[in-house]
């Protein structure tokens, strides 16, 4: 049920507040994704290490865009520089691990924590709604997780890697929330001119719980592309246990449909669950056919993949009049086409193109998840109108 309120309140978050939280969370999610990809490149040659470090470094700098909106270009550049130094220290830490140089390992771990200490002081001095101690604690835990993930990958302990990655993504949600709330409090405190406030709120709002449901549905696109890539890595490169990775991939569809049930009910979620799981099976069949060089099977499975995409587009567009079937069909067809290209680059070992494709998939996931979130938010807004049937969760 929607309410009207303007404060940053867990019982009443506006559309702009929700987007601010989502943007902060997505920044940390993308940063973590490229961090793991970089570690794989260093330890197993899955991609060019220099190219992937460049992606990681540029991803680190993207936070400056959020800073520039409120604090100006100079502050944004200062903070981006500190974020870039963190990426460099992490690169040097991996180099030290590969060399077995324990002194350098200790030195670079210290550099990571020193960098966080500098950033925490910088943030607290910049914005009184951010706490230096709170930031140190949050990012200290982040450092702990990424080091543990690097150690698990180096040891070939992929079950541990899966567990740690899931825990880290949950932690990055908390980091995003703290960042977003401090940013919003600063904007609305009178310390900045009123024209810096977002202008697209209608006065309606949702609860934090409702926002979490929207976010979880939105993140399915990141999770989908991320775990599909890991499944391909397990099949083509032998990284991790194929069955374990496929099980984790299937969990994406379970989480997705469980969240959809809370908004649209049981039936559409169950139908989608069947179609998404069929998509995963077909993807596995496609990879097998590629590895065996079976062109007839490739043609057959490719046709089934596009038919499956069309069915999913019809199902998801049917539950919300604000979603257009042709829009979903185009998005899911693009997803299928690019995923097929990704599989081909793994088969041929064309990792330079593979990295470009993965970057495009991450961008596509952000675009599609935004379209998804807008549709659900508007759907909830309509349900709150007394002239329409009401639905809450």
């Amino acid at each position: 049920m929607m309410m009207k309120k303007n404060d940053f309140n867990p019982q009443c978050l506006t559309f702009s507040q929700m987007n601010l939280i989502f943007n902060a969370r997505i920044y940390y999610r993308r940063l973590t994704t490229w961090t793991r990809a970089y570690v794989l490149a260093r330890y197993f040659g899955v991609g060019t290490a220099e190219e992937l470090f460049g992606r990681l470094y540029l991803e680190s700098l993207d936070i400056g865009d959020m800073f520039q909106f409120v604090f100006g270009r100079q502050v944004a550049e200062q903070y981006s520089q500190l974020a870039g130094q963190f990426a460099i220290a992490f690169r040097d830490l991996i180099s030290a691990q590969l060399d077995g140089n324990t002194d350098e390992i200790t030195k670079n771990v210290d550099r990571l924590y020193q960098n966080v200490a500098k950033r925490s002081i910088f943030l607290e001095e910049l914005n009184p709604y951010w706490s230096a101690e709170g930031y140190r604690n949050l990012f200290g835990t982040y450092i702990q997780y990424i080091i543990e993930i690097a150690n698990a990958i180096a040891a070939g302990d992929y079950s541990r890697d899966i567990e740690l990655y899931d825990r880290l993504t949950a932690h990055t949600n908390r980091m995003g929330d703290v960042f977003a709330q401090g940013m919003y409090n600063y904007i609305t405190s009178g310390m900045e001119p009123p024209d810096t406030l977002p202008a697209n709120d209608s006065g309606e709002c949702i609860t934090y719980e409702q926002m979490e449901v929207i976010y979880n549905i939105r993140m399915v696109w990141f999770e989908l592309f991320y775990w599909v890539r890991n499944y391909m890595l397990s099949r083509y490169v032998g990284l991790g246990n194929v069955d374990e990775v496929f099980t984790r991939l299937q969990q994406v569809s379970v989480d997705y449909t469980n969240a959809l049930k809370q908004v649209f009910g049981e039936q559409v979620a169950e139908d989608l669950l069947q179609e998404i799981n069929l998509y995963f099976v077909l993807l596995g069949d496609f990879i097998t056919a590629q590895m065996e060089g079976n062109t007839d099977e490739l043609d057959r499975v490719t046709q089934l993949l596009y038919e499956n995409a069309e069915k999913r587009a019809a199902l998801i567009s049917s539950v919300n009049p604000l979603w257009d079937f042709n829009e979903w069909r185009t998005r899911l067809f693009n997803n299928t086409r690019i995923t097929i290209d990704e599989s081909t680059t793994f088969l041929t070992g064309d990792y330079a193109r593979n990295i470009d494709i993965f970057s495009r998939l991450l961008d596509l996931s952000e675009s599609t998840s935004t379209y998804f979130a807008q549709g659900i938010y508007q759907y909830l807004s309509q349900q709150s109108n007394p002239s329409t049937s009401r639905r809450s969760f």
Side-chain angles (χ1 to χ4, degrees):
M1 176 177 169
M2 314 284 283
M3 301 173 291
K4 290 182 180 291
K5 198 174 178 70
N6 293 322
D7 295 337
F8 196 105
N9 183 328
Q11 294 304 310
C12 183
L13 298 172
T14 68
F15 186 79
S16 290
Q17 292 168 346
M18 179 185 75
N19 272 345
L20 185 59
I21 291 172
F22 285 177
N23 288 338
R25 286 182 173 188
I26 288 170
Y27 165 75
Y28 288 117
R29 178 68 65 94
R30 288 178 63 106
L31 183 65
T32 299
T33 299
W34 284 114
T35 296
R36 186 180 181 278
Y38 173 66
V39 173
L40 288 175
R42 294 298 304 274
Y43 279 102
F44 296 101
V46 183
T48 305
E50 293 78 9
E51 171 71 15
L52 275 162
F53 177 73
R55 304 274 179 160
L56 173 60
Y57 185 81
L58 289 175
E59 202 71 41
S60 301
L61 304 186
D62 277 353
I63 197 168
D65 293 339
M66 288 184 276
F67 274 82
Q68 186 170 332
F69 170 72
V70 178
F71 302 110
R73 181 181 298 275
Q74 183 176 359
V75 167
E77 289 177 351
Q78 288 176 311
Y79 192 78
S80 292
Q81 184 178 23
L82 288 171
Q85 290 171 1
F86 184 91
I88 292 170
F90 182 71
R91 178 198 64 190
D92 293 346
L93 171 62
I94 300 300
S95 296
Q97 285 183 319
L98 287 166
D99 293 339
N101 189 329
T102 55
D103 289 341
E104 283 296 307
I105 290 173
T106 300
K107 175 183 174 181
N108 286 297
V109 169
D110 288 344
R111 284 174 64 194
L112 291 174
Y113 282 101
Q114 289 167 10
N115 177 272
V116 167
K118 289 180 182 178
R119 290 157 74 179
S120 66
I121 294 171
F122 182 91
L123 289 175
E124 186 175 76
E125 291 177 348
L126 183 67
N127 179 359
Y129 297 102
W130 283 324
S131 160
E133 180 181 2
Y135 185 89
R136 280 196 304 271
N137 290 336
L138 283 170
F139 229 93
T141 301
Y142 183 86
I143 291 171
Q144 176 186 338
Y145 278 137
I146 62 172
I147 290 175
E148 289 184 27
I149 286 173
N151 289 338
I153 290 173
D157 187 355
Y158 295 106
S159 296
R160 176 71 172 153
D161 174 43
I162 292 173
E163 174 195 350
L164 285 167
Y165 188 86
D166 287 340
R167 290 169 61 188
L168 177 56
T169 55
H171 180 70
T172 58
N173 289 345
R174 291 190 289 273
M175 295 172 70
D177 288 356
V178 170
F179 179 92
Q181 184 160 354
M183 181 76 83
Y184 185 82
N185 287 342
Y186 182 88
I187 293 171
T188 58
S189 67
M191 299 174 73
E192 285 290 298
D195 60 7
T196 62
L197 286 169
N200 61 336
D201 278 328
S202 63
E204 295 171 332
C205 63
I206 58 174
T207 67
Y208 187 89
E209 179 185 5
Q210 290 172 317
M211 183 205 71
E212 282 292 313
V213 171
I214 295 174
Y215 179 77
N216 289 337
I217 295 172
R218 182 175 183 177
M219 284 299 100
V220 70
W221 303 101
F222 283 89
E223 293 290 291
L224 176 65
F225 295 140
Y226 178 80
W227 289 109
V228 163
R229 178 179 174 81
N230 279 291
Y231 178 58
M232 290 180 181
L233 283 167
S234 70
R235 292 291 305 274
Y236 285 113
V237 187
L239 293 179
N241 181 286
V242 172
D243 293 335
E244 288 181 356
V245 177
F246 190 73
T247 297
R248 181 60 185 83
L249 175 60
Q250 289 178 309
Q251 187 62 42
V252 174
S253 60
V254 173
D255 293 342
Y256 174 45
T257 52
N258 282 342
L260 281 177
K261 288 176 185 178
Q262 299 180 61
V263 184
F264 301 112
E266 294 277 343
Q267 189 55 53
V268 67
E270 290 301 321
D271 292 342
L272 266 173
L273 179 62
Q274 291 181 20
E275 291 300 328
I276 297 171
N277 283 337
L278 175 58
Y279 168 69
F280 295 154
V281 171
L282 290 172
L283 186 61
D285 292 343
F286 181 87
I287 292 170
T288 299
Q290 276 203 318
M291 295 175 74
E292 294 176 351
N294 189 333
T295 55
D296 290 340
E297 180 69 359
L298 277 174
D299 291 342
R300 185 187 75 85
V301 176
T302 298
Q303 181 178 346
L304 291 176
L305 281 168
Y306 281 104
E307 289 176 3
N308 174 266
E310 186 148 7
K311 287 180 182 177
R312 285 185 284 132
L315 280 170
I316 198 63
S317 61
S318 70
V319 301
N320 186 352
L322 298 162
W323 286 330
D324 178 70
F325 166 74
N326 289 326
E327 176 70 22
W328 274 115
R329 184 178 184 275
T330 298
R331 287 180 179 275
L332 293 178
F333 272 37
N334 285 340
N335 172 19
T336 301
R337 175 178 52 79
I338 299 173
T339 300
I340 287 173
D341 288 344
E342 182 181 28
S343 180
T344 301
T345 59
F346 273 120
L347 178 72
T348 61
D350 186 356
Y351 289 123
R353 186 161 172 261
N354 179 275
I355 294 169
D356 287 337
I357 289 172
F358 186 54
S359 181
R360 287 167 57 201
L361 286 170
L362 286 180
D363 291 341
L364 178 62
S365 71
E366 192 163 347
S367 169
T368 302
S369 70
T370 298
Y371 179 70
F372 213 135
Q374 289 171 341
I376 296 176
Y377 192 96
Q378 291 166 1
Y379 177 85
L380 291 171
S381 300
Q382 288 192 357
Q383 298 308 305
S384 70
N385 190 319
S387 65
T388 65
S389 60
R390 299 176 68 86
R391 186 191 300 266
S392 60
F393 45 99

